Amino acid sequence: GTEGAHAAGRCSHSNGYKVDLNSSDADLNNFITGLPKIGTRSDGAMMYAFHGGIIADERNISGVASHWDLSAACAP
């Protein structure tokens, strides 16, 4: 992961439902971009489906360190 626990809310990093993955590994990047695309988040991050969760591409979000944002399935 690239960041410690942060952000509030039930389905957040701080509650263990999200983790940030380092985007410096080409094999990981290729694996994620080969997953089904499920849309674009409001900040422009492409989202990919992964086992009931979502991986968002935060490699090119202004003001954010380059990483992947993995969200596990979470029922609010």
Side-chain angles (χ1 to χ4, degrees), residues 4-5 12 19-20 22 33-35 37-38 40-43 57-58 64 73 76:
S12 66
V19 65
D20 292 337
N22 192 318
T33 57
L35 295 170
K37 293 178 182 176
I38 58 172
T40 305
R41 230 172 37 187
S42 62
D43 62 2
D57 185 351
E58 295 189 353
V64 175

Side-chain angles (χ1 to χ4, degrees), residues 3 6 20 41 43 58-67:
E3 299 176 317
H6 64 277
D20 292 337
R41 230 172 37 187
D43 62 2
E58 295 189 353
R59 295 178 297 168
N60 296 301
I61 305 297
S62 179
V64 175
S66 177
H67 67 278

Side-chain angles (χ1 to χ4, degrees), residues 44-59:
M46 177 58 64
M47 296 182 295
Y48 299 86
F50 184 68
H51 293 280
I54 297 171
I55 300 176
D57 185 351
E58 295 189 353
R59 295 178 297 168

Side-chain angles (χ1 to χ4, degrees), residues 2-47:
T2 59
E3 299 176 317
H6 64 277
R10 169 140 165 60
C11 301
S12 66
H13 287 275
S14 59
N15 286 328
Y17 288 96
K18 295 179 80 175
V19 65
D20 292 337
L21 304 173
N22 192 318
S23 62
S24 65
D25 184 281
D27 289 333
L28 177 63
N29 297 341
N30 290 334
F31 173 77
I32 294 172
T33 57
L35 295 170
K37 293 178 182 176
I38 58 172
T40 305
R41 230 172 37 187
S42 62
D43 62 2
M46 177 58 64
M47 296 182 295

